[in-house]
Amino acid sequence: MSPDQDAVRERYATAARRALDGVGTGLLAGDGDTERLGAVHYAGEDIPAEVSATSLGCGNPLAVADLHPGETVLDLGSGGGLDVLLSARRVGPAGRAIGLDMTDDMLTLARRHAEQAGVTNAEFVKGTIERIPLPDASVDVVISNCVIALSSDKPAVFAEIARVLRPGGRLGITDIVADDTLTDAERADRTGVVECLGGALTADRYRALLRDAGFAGIDVRLTHEVGDKLHSATIRATRPHLVVPMTADHAEQVLTIYQAGLDTEHASFETTAPDWATWDAVHLPAHRLVALDATGEVLGWTAVSAVSSRCVYAGVVEHSVYVRPSAHGQGVGLALLNALIRSTENAGIWTIQSGIFPENTASRALHRRAGFRELGTRERIGRHHGQWRDVVMIERRSAASGIASPENR
C-alpha cells in the first residue's frame, strides 16, 4: 500500500471508530463543510440520523445512477454504507447492493447500519478500488461518492470498473474535480477537509482516462465548489455493448426484434417482418452488426441497403437500427450506430441516410447523438395503417471522406 493510501485509510478508519463510539466522524468540522459535503445532498431521503451523520461525500450518486429493480450495484469506497443501503432499496429484493471499502472499521460500521435497517440484499467486502475483488462482468452499475479522487492510481481504478461492469453497464458517480488553473504548488498545499485531494483530476483529464479505459457516453458536469479551485462533479459513462458482425445464427432474434419495432407503429411503413431469405436479399452483406449481452443474446441490430445501383451513389447507403424493447435506455442503439459509422467509413462510404416518423422522438434523439442531421420533412409520403404519414429525412456525412455536413465543416 502506498504512503498516500496509508494516509487515506488511517484518516477514514479514525472517522469510522469515532462514529462507532457515537461521537461523530470529526471530518466535516471546517467552515462551511456541512453546507457543501455530506448529508446535505440527501434531502428528502428517509435516512436514520446515525447513518446520515457518517456521510462524507460531495454529492449523491443515487441522483446520478438510474438504478432499476433487479440490478447489481457496486459502491466504491462505501464508508458507512449510506449509498449501499439506498441502492438496496432501489434495486429491490431481486437486486443486490455491494459496498467495497479498504477499512475494517468502516466495514464494521456499514454492516451495523445494514443490520439496524433490516436490509438483507446488501453486503460489504474488503478491498481497494484499484483491485476490485469481484468477477469480470458481474455488475450492472458502479457508483461512488468522492472516493476516486483519493486514489493515487486512477487508470487502474477505471480499468477495474470497466472489467467488473457487464457490457452496457453504467458508471454513475460524484467526485472532486480540479480547475485547469490549479497549480502543482497549490495541490501540495491543500488543507482542511480537502487535504487529501491534491490529486484531483481536471474534467478533461477525467474524460481522457475514461476513454482510455474503453468507456463511452462520457459526461462530466461540475455542480458546486467544495474548496479553492476544487468542485464537486457528476460523472456518467457506459461500458459499450459487445458489437459483432451479424451471422445467420442471429437471424431469429434479429427478426423478432424487427417485428417488435414494427409493432410500435412508429418504426417503418412495413408492418410484418419478412422471412430471413427476404431480409438477407435486401441488405448489403457488409455492415450487418448485432449488439450482444453477456450471455450472447442479441440486444439490437443495424444493417444497410444500397440506395441505387448507379455508381455515383456507391458511397450512399440507407440504414436501419432496431433495439430489443427490454434493452431500451441502455446505450445499445448508440453503440450500434457508432460501430456502423466506423464500419462504413472504413469501406469508403460517405453518406448514411434514412427516414424517421416524426413521432419517433427517441430515434430522432439517438441519431442526433450519433452525428446525424435532419434535412427536413417529407409530408404525407405514404400510407401506414390507412393513415398518411410524414417522414423526417436524416443523414450523416462522413468526415473521413472530406465531405462532412456543412455545420460540421
Side-chain angles (χ1 to χ4, degrees), residues 146-152 154 175-180 182-184 187 190 194-203 205-206 209 226 228-232:
C146 196
V147 170
I148 294 175
L150 301 174
S151 173
S152 59
K154 295 176 182 64
D175 204 7
I176 299 295
V177 171
D179 283 356
D180 292 334
L182 185 65
T183 66
D184 290 341
R187 287 180 181 275
R190 297 289 92 185
V194 294
E195 64 186 10
C196 295
L197 301 175
L201 300 171
T202 65
R205 184 60 176 157
Y206 224 115
L209 289 180
V226 297
D228 184 30
K229 299 186 180 181
L230 292 173
H231 299 267
S232 176

Side-chain angles (χ1 to χ4, degrees), residues 14 102 139 153 166 180 202 219 224 239 277 300 313 358 381 406:
T14 299
M102 67 177 179
V139 173
D153 191 355
R166 297 185 176 110
D180 292 334
T202 65
D219 180 57
H224 61 278
R239 180 187 173 190
Y313 292 112
I381 192 65

Side-chain angles (χ1 to χ4, degrees), residues 78-232:
S78 50
L82 171 60
D83 293 320
V84 174
L85 300 186
L86 292 176
S87 296
R89 291 180 188 173
R90 284 164 169 77
V91 301
R96 182 182 177 205
I98 306 168
L100 173 68
D101 206 281
M102 67 177 179
T103 309
D104 289 322
D105 299 284
M106 278 295 185
L107 292 169
T108 298
L109 180 63
R111 289 169 182 145
R112 175 199 284 183
H113 288 157
E115 182 178 1
Q116 291 172 339
V119 174
T120 59
N121 61 332
E123 61 187 278
F124 296 90
V125 297
K126 185 176 181 178
T128 69
I129 62 177
E130 294 84 6
R131 294 189 64 182
I132 300 172
L134 292 178
D136 295 354
S138 58
V139 173
D140 297 300
V141 186
V142 170
I143 65 172
S144 185
N145 193 352
C146 196
V147 170
I148 294 175
L150 301 174
S151 173
S152 59
D153 191 355
K154 295 176 182 64
V157 176
F158 297 136
E160 279 291 272
I161 295 172
R163 180 184 65 79
V164 300
L165 277 173
R166 297 185 176 110
R170 311 184 303 282
L171 173 68
I173 66 175
T174 56
D175 204 7
I176 299 295
V177 171
D179 283 356
D180 292 334
T181 57
L182 185 65
T183 66
D184 290 341
E186 289 170 327
R187 287 180 181 275
D189 193 35
R190 297 289 92 185
T191 58
V193 74
V194 294
E195 64 186 10
C196 295
L197 301 175
L201 300 171
T202 65
D204 284 344
R205 184 60 176 157
Y206 224 115
R207 296 184 187 98
L209 289 180
L210 285 171
R211 283 195 298 270
D212 290 346
F215 282 93
I218 300 165
D219 180 57
V220 179
R221 300 189 185 190
L222 305 186
T223 56
H224 61 278
E225 188 177 83
V226 297
D228 184 30
K229 299 186 180 181
L230 292 173
H231 299 267
S232 176

